[in-house]
Amino acid sequence: MTHGNPIPTSSAASGMPGPPSYGIPQQRTTDPAAPGETAPDTAPRQGGGRDRYLDLLRSIALVRVVVYHLFGWAWLTVLFPSMGVMFALAGSLMARSLKRPALGVIRGRIRRLLPPLWAFSVVVLAMMFAGGWNPLKDPDHGGTWGLIDLVNYVFPVGAPPFPWHLGAKSGLLEDTWAVQAAGPLWYLRAYLWFVIASPLLLWAFRRAPWPTLLAPLGLTAVVGTGLVKIPGETGNAVTDFAVYGGCWVLGFAHHEGLLKQIPRYLSISCAALLMAFGLWWASGHLGPDGWDLNDIPLAQAAWSFGFVVVLLQYSPSWRTLPGRLARWDGLVTLSNNRAVTIYLWHNLLIMATVPILDLLYELPFLQEDRAVSALDATYTIWMFVLVWPLIGAATLAFGWVEDVAAKRKPRLWPNSAARVRVRGSRRSSASGS
């Protein structure tokens, strides 16, 4: 995928075929050639540049994930369903890439995913082994299977093993740090399976778009409600695939132009009804954390699906961030270029803030009860303040691995597009993640 300024053109002007028709009334759109107007998403783009609106959504999703894992606010899963958004964006990009031979696309996606995972796994496994964990003797994962499962730290087809408790509760890190550190790896597993399944899913979508789009919701109603129970990690993997499969295929619909063919009032109305159903279902199936949709698969699937429909239906397809958003351009570019690094490391870095902040209690001016109480009351806020420099440090230390995985020149802090001169009539473009 490339950075750059995409030039919207009409299908007729570019000589390229227009988007497929799915037998539904088309929404009226502004003439893409009209001055001062933004071309519809279905218009081909010269140079295949990035859509900055989608980049902004990915950045918001990453920030929301960090905030949620730090503060634990259940309502954030309703305010902005980050994982559904991230899977939808990945699905859209995957559909775009599958214009090329499928095997090469899958191989390229896997190649970009694995080296950042390996860098993370080396550090985390070293910490686990140094803490005394022996996968052969683990009561939860132990024996030969526990050893075999270590392969998931190399190629995440399943759930990696980790100790539920490691070290002392009074140690430098809390004794559940390994669980927290390995928590984000479920996303890589789901992403990998979506990538592998995408050629078949896209084939099915182009032949039967509506059944393919809605099938994951139906599957979630079966496996995500207890109607059919699949035990163990296999059940978790199937549930994840069902819950977020609709969002992944919505990415296909966005890229293929299906959403833009639906009258906006119709798609938004249907999305609102689906989201209302999700909230209604959640109200009757609240988990231990209340309105945390992560604990309510069918509510998560319905709410995320409807939410993504709204976001993509109103997608403005920006070539550059407009107005005041332009001041965030560097951070949006950085977070998109280092999305895998940020996601992999953020949980471990959240926990790393604790021993650092605990040093504050040793400062002379914080020995009074009032000062200690003030620090106790604002402790989580200080964790939030400190985690971002730590994420920045991890980006500097490990982010370049994403460039190597993508066969790009390594950059320590890629917060701007790297312009590349291209001979001939092609416009300059920039390497992206």
Side-chain angles (χ1 to χ4, degrees):
M1 188 167 62
T2 58
H3 281 287
N5 292 331
I7 308 298
T9 59
S10 67
S11 298
S14 65
M16 297 177 62
S21 173
Y22 294 98
I24 53 180
Q26 294 193 10
Q27 175 185 318
R28 294 183 179 181
T29 54
T30 305
D31 179 6
E37 298 291 342
T38 301
D41 290 341
T42 54
R45 297 177 186 177
Q46 184 174 343
R50 295 189 71 127
D51 187 327
R52 297 300 279 169
Y53 173 72
L54 302 185
D55 285 349
L56 178 64
L57 290 181
R58 185 180 292 104
S59 297
I60 294 173
L62 283 169
V63 172
R64 205 285 281 156
V65 166
V66 175
V67 174
Y68 168 77
H69 284 155
L70 200 158
F71 291 98
W73 293 329
W75 53 266
L76 285 174
T77 63
V78 177
L79 178 66
F80 194 89
S82 284
M83 306 317 300
V85 171
M86 290 172 69
F87 279 120
L89 300 182
S92 179
L93 294 175
M94 190 67 186
R96 175 179 173 180
S97 297
L98 282 173
K99 295 176 181 178
R100 307 191 303 272
L103 186 60
V105 173
I106 293 174
R107 186 168 55 244
R109 285 290 188 274
I110 294 176
R111 186 192 68 238
R112 292 185 178 203
L113 180 70
L114 294 185
L117 171 64
W118 296 340
F120 175 79
S121 297
V122 166
V123 174
V124 170
L125 285 175
M127 292 174 63
M128 291 180 186
F129 294 147
W133 179 57
N134 184 344
L136 289 172
K137 299 180 180 179
D138 190 295
D140 299 304
H141 309 276
T144 304
W145 282 114
L147 194 61
I148 294 174
D149 281 345
L150 287 175
V151 74
N152 289 302
Y153 283 102
V154 179
F155 196 84
V157 292
F162 48 81
W164 286 93
H165 298 279
L166 187 62
K169 291 184 178 181
S170 59
L172 191 63
L173 295 174
E174 61 176 280
D175 64 344
T176 60
W177 71 265
V179 180
Q180 303 298 325
L185 296 183
W186 76 268
Y187 171 78
L188 272 67
R189 175 184 65 188
Y191 176 86
L192 177 64
W193 282 113
F194 277 129
V195 166
I196 293 172
S198 280
L200 178 60
L201 287 174
L202 187 58
W203 176 88
F205 174 80
R206 286 172 173 168
R207 284 154 182 79
W210 294 109
T212 307
L213 192 60
L214 299 177
L217 291 174
L219 181 59
T220 305
V222 174
V223 301
T225 61
L227 186 62
V228 173
K229 294 183 178 180
I230 304 176
E233 285 300 328
T234 300
N236 292 335
V238 172
T239 300
D240 292 337
F241 195 91
V243 169
Y244 297 107
C247 292
W248 187 275
V249 181
L250 271 175
F252 292 174
H254 171 70
H255 177 267
E256 297 283 294
L258 173 60
L259 294 182
K260 289 300 182 183
Q261 294 183 28
I262 306 173
R264 181 168 290 173
Y265 74 88
L266 181 60
S267 63
I268 298 302
S269 297
C270 292
L273 288 174
L274 186 59
M275 294 167 72
F277 167 78
L279 293 182
W280 171 80
W281 181 266
S283 68
H285 299 81
L286 298 180
D289 296 318
W291 284 86
D292 193 327
L293 299 187
N294 292 320
D295 300 329
I296 317 169
L298 184 56
Q300 177 74 283
W303 179 262
S304 297
F305 190 99
F307 198 96
V308 168
V309 167
V310 175
L311 288 179
L312 295 183
Q313 184 63 273
Y314 283 97
S315 176
S317 190
W318 293 325
R319 292 179 293 175
T320 58
L321 293 177
R324 295 182 178 180
L325 290 175
R327 70 182 65 176
W328 301 99
D329 184 81
L331 288 178
V332 169
T333 301
L334 176 66
S335 62
N336 276 266
N337 280 317
R338 295 294 181 257
V340 178
T341 299
I342 294 170
Y343 186 80
L344 277 173
W345 289 91
H346 77 275
N347 250 12
L348 185 60
L349 297 176
I350 287 174
M351 289 178 292
T353 63
V354 174
I356 296 175
L357 288 175
D358 283 350
L359 296 175
L360 295 178
Y361 289 98
E362 305 298 327
L363 296 176
F365 58 86
L366 283 176
Q367 300 306 307
E368 296 182 2
D369 291 343
R370 181 179 299 180
V372 171
S373 298
L375 182 56
D376 288 343
T378 59
Y379 197 93
T380 308
I381 296 175
W382 288 112
M383 289 176 65
F384 176 78
V385 171
L386 181 57
V387 74
W388 297 109
L390 293 182
I391 289 176
T395 298
L396 289 172
F398 302 104
W400 57 270
V401 177
E402 292 194 54
D403 289 330
V404 174
K407 296 184 177 181
R408 297 190 299 258
K409 181 180 179 180
R411 291 181 289 166
L412 290 179
W413 198 256
N415 62 341
S416 61
R419 297 296 177 186
V420 180
R421 290 187 177 273
V422 181
R423 294 180 179 179
S425 61
R426 294 176 59 188
R427 292 180 178 270
S428 61
S429 61
S431 298
S433 58

